[in-house]
């Protein structure tokens, strides 16, 4: 503690008031002893003179006492606990001192000053009282005793320097002390701060730390001063993570970047010189190079974090001295390939294109000893046009993780890529599933539609029908039924692995358009295949319109018509028909059949009455036909009609 001597001394006071307490007390004791000794000596002399002492003993002269006096007649104590020795003298009517007289001492106010039976006064508190000495009933003397403590020192009751956290309010006390070092209760000092920006103090000594720094408080009273050095330290109120979060490294390795935090005081400024502790949340799971750090001038602290040997998330707790709350930094400890085994929990997986596999895909991660590895990240990626819904982004306590896999639109093998940990440390695990087609949705004619062929003969190309699911994939094993003209052999077929049925269609015997209906199980609509059947080569020719009689030398009223047909009676078009006759003439001689297989010509009969014939032959075939009619002479007298 610091204290100052008084700068000035009050005037008109006794010199002994300014003596050191022990000196003043000693002086008073000596004075009292001398006074008492002198008094006793005087009494002894007077006793002998007056004859009161006989044979070496004092007389009990209580009845002869006429007066009581006390010395000193007044006194002042300047410190609580000071003592004053009072001496009482009892005299007779002649002024002689009566030795051995019983004296009774009494203080009017013992709280201010008390007195014992020997006349020793003890100052108790500031004030004034009267002390009386009495001998007998009517004899008494009174002495005025004043207790007036004087301040000799102003002293701080806290250590210096006084450390005060920023934003905190505390009371400081400066006590005025008397010569015995006792507090002077009525003294109220004045206060002043050398720098009120750092700390301010009010009239009752309440100090508030405002800004980190150092300043001095001064207390003054009655010419006395005391100084207190105050150190306002930052009070952490917030901590911010500047860097080092969400890093990852292989197990047992140091993270690439340090964990860095910044601490702020209540005023929002960086708090320098604040202790910061870095420690793994789970003891033994990782370490830091230096657990305890002090913030620098910018309020920053850093630590290098070495991950523990267990894969998964690891956490580092950051605690700041004087701050109730801290923060937690998370890092990822990546497993390594040498100690990581990934397997498929369910070995039997299959599905239909476009559908979600009934049961979730589950993988199991274990170490080289077969122990489950939990809390490691698992990334899922569907290949071949599929999609995945992640159910577990990390392995559970059994080392398992799951996802729902919706297959892509194509049949065949599909893949789900599963990445455990970091791809640079552990290779990806690939789940493979055969994807089958969905139910039959549509049937299409792959080839063979719209062909042309001869009646009663197989078409040149096979008719190919494909059955597809809703995504356009071929459906294997779909039942296909065929019905129509001609012959297809087996009318109930099953699609192959490419979703196909191949049909050899033998057309029916009738020429023209022929149809084949295709029905697929599960599909409501009917597919229709069309082919056009043309007749075979001409095999027959016959007269369609031919009169049985005619007039010689004249043309028949109507042209003759012949029809050319194949072996099945189908009209043959574009067949060249040649007409010939020995009687008369025919025109034209050569005629091509039309679409109905019809060829026509005009026949002018010969001049000779009787049977006449005309022959129709089909070129390049053996087909021929002959028609006979009866030619007669025209009637006489009739006008010849034009032929």
């Amino acid at each position: 503690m610091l204290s100052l001597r008084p700068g000035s001394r009050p005037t008109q006071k006794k010199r002994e008031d300014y003596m050191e307490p022990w000196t003043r007390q000693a002086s008073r004791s000596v004075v009292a002893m001398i006074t008492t000794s002198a008094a006793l000596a005087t009494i002894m002399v007077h006793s002998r003179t007056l004859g009161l002492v006989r044979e070496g003993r004092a007389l009990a002269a209580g009845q002869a006492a006429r007066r009581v006096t006390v010395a000193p007649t007044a006194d002042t104590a300047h410190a609580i606990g000071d003592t004053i020795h009072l001496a009482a003298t009892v005299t007779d009517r002649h002024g002689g001192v009566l030795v051995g007289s019983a004296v009774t001492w009494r203080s009017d106010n013992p709280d201010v000053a008390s007195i014992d039976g020997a006349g020793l006064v003890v100052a108790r508190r500031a004030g004034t009282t009267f002390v009386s000495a009495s001998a007998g009933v009517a004899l008494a003397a009174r002495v005025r005793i004043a207790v007036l403590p004087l301040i000799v020192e102003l002293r701080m009751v806290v250590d210096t320097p006084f450390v005060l956290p920023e934003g905190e309010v505390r009371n400081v006390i400066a006590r005025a002390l008397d010569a015995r070092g006792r507090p002077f209760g009525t003294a109220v000092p004045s206060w002043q701060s050398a720098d009120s920006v750092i700390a301010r103090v009010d009239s009752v000594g309440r100090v508030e730390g405002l800004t980190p720094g150092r300043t001095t408080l001064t207390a003054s009273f009655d010419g006395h001063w005391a100084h207190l050095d105050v150190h306002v330290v930052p009070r952490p109120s917030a901590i911010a993570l500047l860097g080092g979060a969400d890093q990852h490294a292989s197990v047992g390795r140091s993270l690439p970047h340090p964990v860095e935090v910044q601490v702020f005081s209540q005023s929002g400024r960086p708090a320098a010189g604040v202790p910061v502790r870095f420690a793994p949340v789970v003891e033994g799971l990782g370490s830091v190079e230096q657990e305890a750090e002090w913030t620098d001038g910018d309020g920053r602290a850093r630590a290098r974090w070495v991950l523990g040997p267990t894969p998964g998330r690891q956490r580092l707790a950051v605690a700041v001295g004087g701050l109730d709350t801290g923060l937690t930094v998370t890092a990822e400890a990546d497993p390594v390939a040498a100690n990581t085994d990934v397997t498929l929990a369910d070995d039997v997986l299959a599905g239909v294109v476009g559908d979600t596999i009934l049961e979730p895909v589950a993988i199991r991660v274990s170490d080289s000893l077969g122990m489950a590895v939990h809390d490691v990240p698992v990334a899922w990626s569907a290949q071949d046009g599929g999609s995945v819904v992640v159910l577990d982004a990390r392995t559970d306590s059994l080392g398992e993780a799951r996802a729902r896999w919706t297959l892509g639109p194509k049949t065949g093998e599909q893949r789900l890529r599963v990445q455990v940990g970091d791809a640079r440390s552990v290779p990806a695990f690939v789940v493979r599933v055969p994807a089958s087609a969905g139910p039959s949705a549509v049937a299409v004619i792959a080839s063979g539609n719209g062909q042309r062929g001869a009646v009663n003969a197989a078409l040149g190309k096979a008719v190919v029908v494909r059955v597809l699911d809703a995504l356009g994939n071929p459906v294997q094993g779909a039942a296909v039924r065929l019905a129509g003209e001609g012959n297809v052999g087996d009318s109930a077929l099953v699609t192959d692995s490419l979703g196909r049925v191949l049909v050899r269609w033998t057309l029916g015997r009738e020429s023209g358009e022929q149809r084949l209906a295709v029905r697929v199980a599960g599909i409501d609509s009917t597919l229709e295949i069309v082919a056009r059947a043309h007749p075979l080569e001409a095999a027959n020719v016959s007269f369609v319109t031919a009169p049985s009689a005619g007039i010689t030398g004249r043309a028949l009223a109507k042209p003759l018509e012949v029809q050319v047909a194949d072996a099945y009676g189908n009209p043959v078009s574009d067949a060249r028909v040649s007409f010939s006759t020995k009687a008369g003439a025919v025109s034209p001689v050569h005629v091509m059949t039309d679409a109905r297989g019809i060829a026509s010509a005009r026949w002018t009969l010969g001049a000779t009455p009787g049977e006449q014939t005309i022959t129709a032959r089909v070129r390049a075939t053996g087909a021929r036909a002959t028609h006979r009619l009866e030619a007669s002479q025209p009637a006489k007298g009739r006008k010849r009609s034009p032929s």
Side-chain angles (χ1 to χ4, degrees), residues 9-35:
R9 298 181 181 273
T11 58
Q12 299 179 357
K13 291 188 178 181
K14 296 179 179 180
R15 182 177 179 181
E16 59 267 22
D17 292 343
Y18 302 102
M19 294 181 180
E20 293 296 330
W22 67 271
T23 305
R24 189 165 62 249
Q25 182 62 40
S27 300
R28 288 176 177 171
S29 299
V30 171
V31 170
M33 292 175 64
I34 295 173
T35 303

Coordinates of all heavy atoms in Angstrom, one line a residue, residues 9-35:
R9 N 0.2 20.7 8.7 CA -0.2 20.4 10.0 C -1.2 21.4 10.6 O -1.0 22.6 10.3 CB 1.0 20.3 11.0 CG 2.0 19.2 10.6 CD 3.1 19.2 11.6 NE 4.1 18.2 11.2 CZ 4.0 16.9 11.6 NH1 3.0 16.5 12.3 NH2 4.9 16.0 11.3
P10 N -2.2 21.0 11.2 CA -3.1 22.0 11.8 C -2.4 22.9 12.8 O -1.5 22.4 13.5 CB -4.2 21.2 12.5 CG -4.0 19.8 12.0 CD -2.6 19.7 11.5
T11 N -2.8 24.1 13.0 CA -2.2 25.0 14.0 C -2.9 24.9 15.3 O -4.0 24.4 15.4 CB -2.3 26.4 13.4 OG1 -3.6 26.8 13.2 CG2 -1.5 26.5 12.1
Q12 N -2.3 25.5 16.3 CA -2.9 25.7 17.7 C -3.2 24.3 18.3 O -4.3 24.1 18.8 CB -4.2 26.5 17.7 CG -3.9 27.9 17.2 CD -5.1 28.8 17.2 OE1 -6.2 28.3 17.4 NE2 -4.9 30.1 16.9
K13 N -2.3 23.4 18.1 CA -2.5 22.0 18.7 C -1.2 21.7 19.5 O -0.2 22.2 19.2 CB -2.8 21.0 17.7 CG -4.2 21.1 17.1 CD -4.5 20.0 16.2 CE -5.9 20.1 15.6 NZ -6.3 19.0 14.8
K14 N -1.4 20.9 20.5 CA -0.3 20.5 21.3 C 0.8 19.8 20.5 O 0.5 19.0 19.6 CB -0.7 19.6 22.5 CG -1.7 20.4 23.5 CD -2.1 19.4 24.6 CE -3.0 20.2 25.6 NZ -3.5 19.3 26.7
R15 N 2.0 20.0 20.9 CA 3.1 19.3 20.2 C 3.0 17.8 20.3 O 3.3 17.1 19.3 CB 4.4 19.9 20.8 CG 5.6 19.3 20.1 CD 6.9 19.9 20.6 NE 8.0 19.3 20.0 CZ 9.3 19.6 20.3 NH1 9.5 20.5 21.3 NH2 10.3 19.1 19.7
E16 N 2.6 17.3 21.5 CA 2.6 15.9 21.6 C 1.6 15.2 20.7 O 1.6 14.0 20.4 CB 2.4 15.5 23.1 CG 1.1 16.0 23.6 CD 1.3 17.3 24.4 OE1 2.3 18.0 24.1 OE2 0.5 17.6 25.2
D17 N 0.6 16.0 20.2 CA -0.4 15.4 19.3 C 0.2 14.9 18.0 O -0.4 14.1 17.3 CB -1.5 16.5 19.0 CG -2.3 16.8 20.2 OD1 -2.2 16.0 21.2 OD2 -3.0 17.9 20.2
Y18 N 1.4 15.4 17.6 CA 2.0 15.1 16.4 C 3.2 14.1 16.6 O 3.9 13.8 15.6 CB 2.5 16.3 15.7 CG 1.4 17.3 15.4 CD1 1.3 18.4 16.2 CD2 0.5 17.1 14.4 CE1 0.2 19.3 16.1 CE2 -0.5 17.9 14.2 CZ -0.7 19.1 15.0 OH -1.7 19.9 14.8
M19 N 3.3 13.6 17.8 CA 4.4 12.6 18.0 C 3.9 11.3 17.5 O 2.7 11.1 17.3 CB 4.6 12.5 19.5 CG 5.3 13.7 20.2 SD 5.6 13.4 21.9 CE 6.3 15.0 22.4
E20 N 4.8 10.4 17.2 CA 4.5 9.1 16.8 C 3.7 8.5 17.9 O 3.9 8.7 19.1 CB 5.7 8.3 16.5 CG 6.5 8.7 15.3 CD 5.7 8.6 14.0 OE1 4.8 7.7 14.0 OE2 5.9 9.4 13.1
P21 N 2.8 7.6 17.6 CA 1.9 7.0 18.7 C 2.6 6.4 19.8 O 2.3 6.6 21.0 CB 1.1 6.0 17.9 CG 1.1 6.5 16.5 CD 2.4 7.2 16.3
W22 N 3.6 5.6 19.5 CA 4.3 4.9 20.6 C 5.1 5.9 21.5 O 5.2 5.8 22.7 CB 5.2 3.8 20.1 CG 6.4 4.4 19.3 CD1 6.4 4.6 18.0 CD2 7.7 4.7 19.8 NE1 7.6 5.1 17.6 CE2 8.4 5.2 18.7 CE3 8.3 4.7 21.1 CZ2 9.8 5.6 18.8 CZ3 9.6 5.1 21.2 CH2 10.3 5.5 20.1
T23 N 5.6 7.0 20.8 CA 6.4 8.0 21.6 C 5.5 8.8 22.5 O 5.8 9.0 23.7 CB 7.1 9.0 20.6 OG1 7.9 8.2 19.7 CG2 7.9 10.0 21.3
R24 N 4.3 9.1 21.9 CA 3.3 9.9 22.7 C 2.9 9.1 23.9 O 2.7 9.6 25.0 CB 2.2 10.4 21.8 CG 1.3 11.3 22.5 CD 0.4 12.1 21.5 NE -0.5 11.1 20.8 CZ -0.3 10.8 19.5 NH1 0.6 11.4 18.8 NH2 -1.2 10.0 19.0
Q25 N 2.6 7.8 23.7 CA 2.1 6.9 24.7 C 3.1 6.8 25.8 O 2.9 6.8 27.0 CB 1.7 5.6 24.2 CG 1.1 4.6 25.2 CD -0.2 5.1 25.8 OE1 -1.0 5.7 25.1 NE2 -0.3 5.0 27.1
A26 N 4.4 6.6 25.4 CA 5.5 6.4 26.4 C 5.6 7.7 27.2 O 5.9 7.7 28.4 CB 6.8 6.1 25.7
S27 N 5.5 8.8 26.5 CA 5.6 10.1 27.3 C 4.6 10.2 28.3 O 4.8 10.6 29.5 CB 5.6 11.3 26.3 OG 6.6 11.2 25.3
R28 N 3.3 9.9 27.9 CA 2.3 10.0 28.9 C 2.5 9.1 30.1 O 2.2 9.4 31.3 CB 0.9 9.7 28.3 CG 0.5 10.8 27.3 CD -0.8 10.4 26.6 NE -1.2 11.5 25.8 CZ -2.2 11.4 24.9 NH1 -2.8 10.2 24.8 NH2 -2.6 12.4 24.2
S29 N 3.0 7.9 29.8 CA 3.2 6.9 30.9 C 4.3 7.4 31.9 O 4.1 7.3 33.1 CB 3.6 5.6 30.3 OG 2.6 5.1 29.5
V30 N 5.3 8.0 31.3 CA 6.4 8.6 32.1 C 5.9 9.7 33.0 O 6.1 9.8 34.2 CB 7.6 9.0 31.3 CG1 8.6 9.8 32.1 CG2 8.2 7.8 30.6
V31 N 5.1 10.6 32.3 CA 4.6 11.7 33.1 C 3.7 11.3 34.2 O 3.7 11.7 35.4 CB 3.8 12.7 32.1 CG1 3.0 13.7 32.9 CG2 4.8 13.4 31.2
A32 N 2.8 10.3 33.9 CA 1.9 9.8 34.9 C 2.7 9.1 36.1 O 2.4 9.3 37.3 CB 1.0 8.7 34.3
M33 N 3.7 8.4 35.7 CA 4.5 7.7 36.8 C 5.2 8.8 37.7 O 5.2 8.7 38.9 CB 5.6 6.8 36.1 CG 5.0 5.6 35.5 SD 6.2 4.6 34.6 CE 7.2 4.1 36.0
I34 N 5.8 9.8 37.0 CA 6.4 10.9 37.8 C 5.4 11.6 38.7 O 5.7 11.8 39.9 CB 7.2 11.8 36.9 CG1 8.3 11.1 36.1 CG2 7.7 13.1 37.6 CD1 9.0 12.0 35.1
T35 N 4.3 11.9 38.1 CA 3.2 12.6 38.9 C 2.8 11.8 40.1 O 2.6 12.3 41.2 CB 2.0 12.9 38.0 OG1 2.5 13.7 36.9 CG2 1.0 13.7 38.7

